[in-house]
Each structure stands twice: as C-alpha cells, then as structure tokens.
C-alpha cells in the first residue's frame, strides 16, 4: 500500500461496518473472527481520519489482511521482512534528508501524522520510515516491526531498524489472557499490506 493502513479502512473491519453490505463467499465458515472493540481507541489523542491505524497485534494484522482479501477478491498479506526492506530502500541509498521523509522523535511532536505528508520514496511509497513501525513476517518466521516510529530517535529510524514485540507492549491490558488483537501500550505499531498479482 502507498501509505500505512489508515483507520478509515481498519475501522470497517474492527467495527463490522461492512456487515449487511456484502455476502460472504461461503467457504464453509461458521463464524468470522474479529477483534473485540477496544475499551479506549488506541491513539485517540492523535486524531482519526487519515491517520494510520495502530496498536494492533501481528495476529490482528494478518486476520485483517485475510478479511480484506475476502472483501475485495484480491490477495493481501503482511509483507515479508525482505519485501519490506526492498520497498523501503527503493533502489536508493539511505534518504538524504530524513527530516523530509520521516516522522521520528525529534520532529513528530510525540504523535502520529496523516499518511503521505512527507516525501515519497523512489517507488512512490510514503512513510516507509517513522510515523508507525510496520508489521512484517521476519526472516526467522517470527513477526518483526520494521522502520522505526514517531517514538524513536532519528538514529533508530532506518530500513534496517526492527523490533520484536515485548510484554511491555500490552502490559496494561486488564484481560487474562492478554488480548490477541490489541497492544494498548504500543501506539507506535502499524501495518502496510502487499497485494499479490
């Protein structure tokens, strides 16, 4: 996707805004899994329309991709780490001016920003670096968040930057077991999808 997946699209899935508008393809499902509605919308102080969806688990990102595939008839998925890094680099050296192409700790005012407000990379993709980190399928088969985010200093925002989820990302979740959908302490987590040909 050209920008990180915005709330405008993610909300349709989270809040079942599509129910009654399309008929499922009928692949024998008895039920369709969706996240519970969050007690408090993640990033509520950042704004909503046009802003990147955030604080979802890797599980939620992959189920969202499956839902979007079903709805559109195209195959969407979370990129692999190698695909994401290739798209980030866009056959170019590191960005000459990170300030012009990324939101990070020193310029973000401690919040996310609408998608596409910084310079596009050579492939025409926005916000590959900073704003929110993006889920990928790591080379070791485990999820990894790539690119850095608005909470990271400029020195930690790059195509090589990656983070594995820690218990701190959902420490304040009151549920036992912890939610498989939301990371209430990780407003720096987002996603971008790949559409297969």
């Amino acid at each position: 996707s050209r920008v990180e997946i915005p709330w405008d699209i993610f909300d349709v899935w989270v809040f079942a805004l599509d129910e009654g508008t399309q008929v499922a393809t009928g692949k024998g499902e008895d039920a369709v899994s969706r996240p519970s509605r969050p007690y408090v919308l993640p990033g509520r102080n950042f704004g909503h329309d046009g802003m990147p969806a955030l604080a979802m688990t890797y599980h939620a990102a992959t189920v969202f991709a499956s839902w979007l595939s079903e709805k559109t008839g195209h195959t969407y998925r979370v990129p692999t780490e190698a695909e994401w890094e290739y798209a980030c680099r866009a056959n170019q050296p590191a960005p000459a001016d990170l300030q012009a192409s990324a939101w990070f700790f020193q310029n973000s005012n401690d919040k996310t920003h609408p998608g596409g407000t910084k310079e596009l990379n050579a492939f025409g993709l926005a916000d590959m670096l900073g704003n929110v980190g993006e889920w990928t399928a790591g080379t070791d088969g485990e999820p990894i968040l790539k690119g850095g985010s608005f909470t990271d200093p400029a020195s930690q925002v790059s195509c090589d930057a990656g983070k594995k989820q820690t218990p701190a990302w959902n420490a304040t979740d009151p549920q036992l077991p912890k939610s498989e959908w939301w990371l209430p302490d990780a407003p720096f987590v987002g996603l971008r999808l790949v559409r297969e040909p």
Side-chain angles (χ1 to χ4, degrees), residues 77-100:
R77 61 178 172 76
V78 172
T80 66
E81 185 175 4
E83 288 170 332
W84 188 94
E85 288 182 7
Y86 176 78
C88 181
R89 288 188 178 89
N91 293 328
Q92 303 291 315
D97 184 3
L98 192 61
Q99 181 78 22

Side-chain angles (χ1 to χ4, degrees), residues 56-168:
M56 76 287 296
T57 62
Y58 181 78
H59 170 74
T62 59
V63 174
F64 169 74
S66 296
W67 169 85
L68 188 61
S69 298
E70 172 103 8
K71 285 294 176 185
T72 64
H74 298 285
T75 301
Y76 290 94
R77 61 178 172 76
V78 172
T80 66
E81 185 175 4
E83 288 170 332
W84 188 94
E85 288 182 7
Y86 176 78
C88 181
R89 288 188 178 89
N91 293 328
Q92 303 291 315
D97 184 3
L98 192 61
Q99 181 78 22
S101 61
W103 294 109
F104 47 92
F105 178 75
Q106 290 90 335
N107 71 356
S108 69
N109 200 24
D110 203 27
K111 64 180 182 176
T112 60
H113 293 269
T117 54
K118 291 285 190 175
E119 289 179 2
L120 305 179
N121 74 8
F123 287 167
L125 304 175
D127 305 312
M128 289 300 296
L129 298 175
N131 214 20
V132 292
E134 300 171 10
W135 281 124
T136 67
T139 55
D140 62 359
E142 295 297 316
I144 186 167
L145 196 70
K146 294 296 290 181
S149 75
F150 73 97
T151 64
D152 293 313
S155 62
Q156 295 177 17
V157 174
S158 73
C159 296
D160 296 318
K163 293 180 183 177
K164 298 272 186 174
Q165 182 179 333
T166 71

Side-chain angles (χ1 to χ4, degrees), residues 12-37:
V12 175
W13 175 62
V14 171
F15 296 107
L17 301 176
D18 60 313
E19 290 197 358
T21 60
Q22 289 184 315
V23 178
T25 59
K27 294 183 180 170
E29 308 97 355
D30 290 332
V32 176
S33 180
R34 293 191 196 228
S36 56
R37 294 179 182 211

